[in-house]
C-alpha cells in the first residue's frame, strides 16, 4: 500500500512558517539559489495578483511589485 501527499508550495510555506513577521497575505516570492538573476520559483496569491509568477527573473518581479 502506498500513500501520496501533495503539498503545494511546500518550500514557500516552510519559509513563511520560520519567519513569523511575514504572513501568507503579504506578497512574497522565493527565488532559486545559485542563479545570477534569481529566478522566481514560488509566490503567494497576493504576489500573483500583482503580476508576479514563477519563472520570471527577480528584477522583473520587483519592477511589478516593489513590496515583494
Amino acid at each position: 500500500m502506498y500513500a501520496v501527499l501533495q503539498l503545494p508550495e511546500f518550500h514557500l510555506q516552510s519559509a513563511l512558517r520560520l519567519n513569523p513577521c511575514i504572513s501568507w497575505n503579504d506578497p512574497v516570492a522565493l527565488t532559486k539559489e545559485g542563479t545570477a538573476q534569481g529566478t522566481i520559483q514560488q509566490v503567494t496569491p497576493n504576489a500573483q495578483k500583482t503580476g508576479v509568477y514563477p519563472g520570471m527573473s527577480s528584477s522583473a518581479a520587483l519592477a511589478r511589485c516593489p513590496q515583494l
Side-chain angles (χ1 to χ4, degrees):
M1 179 179 282
Y2 295 99
V4 176
L5 295 176
Q6 183 177 0
L7 302 171
E9 288 113 8
F10 175 74
H11 296 289
L12 182 60
Q13 290 180 15
S14 62
L16 290 177
R17 175 174 235 163
L18 292 175
N19 196 346
C21 64
I22 301 173
S23 77
W24 186 257
N25 296 326
D26 296 334
V28 178
L30 286 182
T31 59
K32 184 176 181 179
E33 286 185 13
T35 58
Q37 292 183 352
T39 306
I40 302 293
Q41 296 296 308
Q42 296 177 344
V43 296
T44 59
N46 281 342
Q48 284 182 341
K49 289 178 186 176
T50 62
V52 177
Y53 55 89
M56 68 187 317
S57 67
S58 59
S59 58
L62 284 171
R64 291 188 182 195
C65 181
Q67 300 86 14
L68 195 63

